[in-house]
């Protein structure tokens, strides 16, 4: 796709569905995930999309809550999000494990991390439970209390042949306290220092995540726009597979920073305010066409 300048006049391909980031795009959470600060235009924009029946999903790298619980939390602060529109790395992980015959997994994370796996029939175990190292896979998600017993259990499972799944391999994300480290990024580096095995990343910017979102929308990836604040996450994911990359400046990247990026990480458009997304959709596409 041509490398249009951020905010430039070059026309975009038709947009038939949206994949929206959460932290830094629609809201800012606090470090402990105990509360949310809505960003300007978030309710207005999602409400307008809902009224128009324009297809959208929210794709977060946050895995602390099961998708249905995360959707309920967002509805409680005014965002019109249904459970089917809420995608977390655990959603993608559960789908990938089911498709590849994974029957059991050691989960490094809070209980909400493993709920999506349970929902599709995958046996989930946590550190210290019987058989915690005798599993088909290890899945690393939101785990602020991770300790050495967790690291050792994961390493032993991997030494025994388990596959390593990672919800998010991103070092930082936007919160009310500013740029904040991603726990799973640090945890995975400790684990792989002991067990040098490949990892399957299921959150952004993986193809697994974008393809799952496309299937949820019933649309081809090339008919989507991916909206987010991180060029190393949403923008690179969109550009790699032919979707439209839309940047926002409410998270970790300013307009000036967007403009200085290499093409592979640059947004096709940078929004001055989130409601501008509505005009962008109207200008780039027409009535959404879902796949049969």
């Amino acid at each position: 796709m041509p490398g249009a300048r951020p905010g430039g006049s070059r026309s975009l391909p038709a947009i038939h569905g949206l994949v929206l980031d959460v932290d830094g795009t629609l809201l800012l959470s606090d470090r402990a995930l105990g509360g949310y600060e809505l960003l300007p235009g978030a309710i207005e924009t999602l409400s307008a999309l809902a009224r128009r029946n324009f297809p959208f999903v929210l794709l977060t790298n946050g895995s602390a809550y099961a998708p249905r619980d995360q959707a309920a939390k967002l509805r409680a602060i005014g965002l019109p999000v249904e459970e089917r529109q809420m995608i977390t790395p655990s959603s993608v992980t559960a789908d990938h494990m089911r498709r590849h015959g994974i029957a059991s997994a050691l989960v490094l994370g809070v209980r909400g991390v493993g709920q999506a796996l349970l929902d599709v029939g995958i046996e989930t175990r946590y550190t210290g439970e019987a058989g915690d190292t005798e599993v088909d896979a290890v899945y690393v998600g939101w785990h602020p209390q991770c300790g050495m017993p967790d690291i050792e259990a994961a390493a032993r499972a991997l030494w025994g042949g388990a596959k390593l799944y990672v919800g998010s391999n991103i070092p930082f994300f936007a919160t009310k306290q500013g740029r904040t480290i991603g726990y799973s990024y640090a945890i995975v580096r400790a684990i792989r220092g002991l067990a040098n095995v490949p990892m399957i990343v299921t959150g952004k910017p993986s193809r697994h995540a974008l393809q799952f979102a496309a299937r949820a929308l019933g649309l081809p990836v090339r008919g989507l726009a991916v909206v987010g604040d991180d060029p190393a996450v949403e923008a690179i994911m969109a550009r790699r597979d032919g979707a439209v990359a839309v940047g926002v400046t409410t998270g970790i990247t300013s307009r000036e920073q967007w403009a200085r990026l290499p093409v592979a990480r640059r947004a096709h458009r940078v929004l001055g305010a989130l409601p501008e997304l509505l005009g962008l959709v109207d200008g780039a596409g027409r009535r959404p066409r879902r796949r049969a």
Side-chain angles (χ1 to χ4, degrees):
M1 186 178 295
R5 294 178 182 275
S9 59
R10 182 171 293 181
S11 62
L12 296 175
I15 297 171
H16 300 304
L18 294 170
V19 179
L20 293 122
D21 174 44
V22 178
D23 289 290
T25 299
L26 300 175
L27 57 81
L28 294 173
S29 61
D30 64 32
R31 187 66 183 93
L33 305 185
Y36 303 114
E37 174 187 323
L38 282 168
L39 289 168
I43 293 177
E44 174 188 348
T45 302
L46 292 197
S47 297
L49 292 171
R51 285 194 302 272
R52 299 179 189 188
N53 292 317
F54 195 92
F56 71 89
V57 293
L58 306 190
L59 176 59
T60 178
N61 266 3
S63 59
Y65 303 112
R68 61 173 174 266
D69 296 331
Q70 181 68 79
K73 287 178 177 291
L74 298 185
R75 286 195 301 272
I77 60 172
L79 293 174
V81 180
E82 300 178 22
E83 180 182 338
R84 62 179 177 80
Q85 295 173 299
M86 188 73 243
I87 300 173
T88 77
S90 298
S91 314
V92 186
T93 300
D95 178 73
H96 191 279
M97 286 184 176
R98 181 179 55 80
R99 289 170 179 262
H100 290 81
I102 300 295
S104 60
L106 169 63
V107 175
L108 267 63
V110 297
R111 294 286 162 170
V113 171
Q115 187 59 52
L117 279 60
L118 281 171
D119 289 345
V120 299
I122 296 167
E123 183 181 353
T124 62
R125 301 167 190 168
Y126 292 82
T127 306
E129 295 180 352
D132 59 355
T133 63
E134 300 168 1
V135 291
D136 299 327
V138 173
Y139 173 42
V140 181
W142 177 257
H143 198 4
Q145 304 303 321
C146 183
M148 288 310 302
D150 301 285
I151 302 297
E152 182 175 358
R156 290 188 179 280
L158 296 171
W159 292 336
K163 297 183 181 300
L164 176 60
Y165 284 77
V166 181
S168 174
N169 193 41
I170 300 303
F172 305 106
F173 66 101
T175 70
K176 288 191 285 186
Q177 288 77 32
R179 192 171 71 163
T180 302
I181 69 165
Y183 289 133
S184 59
Y185 179 87
I187 294 168
V188 167
R189 268 142 190 79
I191 292 171
R192 296 185 79 203
L194 296 168
N196 186 21
V197 297
M199 61 180 174
I200 301 166
V201 179
T202 56
K204 299 178 291 186
S206 74
R207 281 195 168 96
H208 301 303
L210 186 55
Q211 290 168 355
F212 184 94
R215 289 196 299 271
L217 288 165
L219 294 165
V221 168
R222 288 182 176 270
L224 304 178
V226 182
V227 185
D229 69 305
D230 192 337
V233 181
E234 291 86 24
I236 198 170
M237 180 172 70
R239 279 191 174 269
R240 182 189 58 214
D241 289 334
V244 174
V246 179
V248 299
T249 59
T250 45
I252 65 173
T253 310
S254 68
R255 182 177 288 276
E256 292 74 22
Q257 289 170 325
W258 278 114
R260 292 196 298 265
L261 290 166
V263 169
R265 298 172 61 188
R266 192 185 306 163
H268 293 96
R269 291 291 187 275
V270 176
L271 305 181
L274 192 60
E276 292 176 13
L277 182 62
L278 302 172
L280 184 64
V281 167
D282 290 340
R286 296 296 179 260
R287 188 167 53 192
R289 296 196 301 268
R290 290 179 178 268
R291 290 188 296 203

